[in-house]
């Protein structure tokens, strides 16, 4: 992979992230109302931050082989 290919891959990733961000901006905090055939539908889209959610790690099983200092 030469520098042109690397640049192309990097530019493609940046463009993809930009498109995802624009879609996020377009649908976040929107209120949608629809009246059709005498029925009214009311919906709202709100994507919120998850905050600092603690991550729970499962303990290792008792019979797991743990090597603290492997020999080479």
């Amino acid at each position: 992979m030469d520098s042109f290919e690397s640049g192309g891959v990097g530019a493609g990733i940046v463009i993809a992230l930009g498109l995802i961000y624009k879609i996020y901006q377009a649908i976040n905090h929107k209120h949608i109302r629809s009246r059709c055939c005498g029925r009214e539908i009311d919906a709202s889209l709100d994507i919120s931050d998850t905050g600092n959610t603690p991550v729970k790690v499962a303990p290792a099983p008792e019979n797991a082989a743990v090597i603290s200092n492997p020999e080479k």
Side-chain angles (χ1 to χ4, degrees), residues 9-65:
V9 169
I13 291 171
V14 168
I15 289 170
L17 289 175
L19 288 173
I20 291 170
Y21 180 68
K22 287 295 184 181
I23 292 169
Y24 164 78
Q25 281 183 326
I27 67 171
N28 195 22
H29 302 296
K30 296 295 180 190
H31 192 85
I32 301 166
R33 273 190 203 147
S34 175
R35 290 187 200 133
C36 181
C37 304
R39 298 172 61 188
E40 185 172 327
I41 298 174
D42 191 18
S44 124
L45 300 171
D46 188 22
I47 302 171
S48 62
D49 190 16
T50 58
N52 294 330
T53 306
V55 176
K56 295 181 181 178
V57 179
E62 293 177 14
N63 59 356

